[in-house]
Amino acid sequence: MDPRAQLVQYYRWLRQYGLNDSHSGNASIRDGDTVWVTPTGCCADTLTAEALIACRVDDAPARGASLDAPLHLAVYRKNAEARAVLHSHGAH
């Protein structure tokens, strides 16, 4: 499965299971040296794989990436084993 499609599915599940509202949280997935990040202000209900923002692990976040993209990139830099970061805003 395309890693971008996987990321969109998991981001939607965060909303479906009450861990995010439609516009909260953010997510990323690593594919080699590319990190696909949810765009700033995206809606879980309408997000598509094509809307994800490509960032390079060792560069600054690309324009339009989530405001938390620097944190996501730092996780990947510190832990080469990390493949995804899901940031949610659960009720508890």
Side-chain angles (χ1 to χ4, degrees):
M1 179 180 225
D2 176 0
R4 296 175 309 152
Q6 284 182 305
L7 182 65
V8 170
Q9 182 62 60
Y10 277 89
Y11 191 65
R12 287 190 179 151
W13 283 338
L14 288 174
R15 172 153 164 72
Q16 180 181 347
Y17 293 106
L19 299 172
N20 274 342
D21 63 27
S22 65
H23 288 79
S24 68
N26 46 68
S28 65
I29 193 163
R30 185 176 185 165
D31 186 18
D33 289 333
T34 301
V35 175
W36 294 98
V37 182
T38 50
T40 297
C42 75
C43 175
D45 298 331
T46 60
L47 180 65
T48 64
E50 296 76 25
L52 296 173
I53 307 295
C55 299
R56 301 294 294 171
V57 170
D58 293 323
D59 291 340
R63 175 187 236 137
S66 166
L67 296 177
D68 287 330
L71 174 65
H72 290 246
L73 294 173
V75 168
Y76 298 119
R77 287 182 198 122
K78 285 284 195 180
N79 183 353
E81 301 291 316
R83 292 292 171 253
V85 175
L86 299 173
H87 170 184
S88 68
H89 293 263
H92 304 285

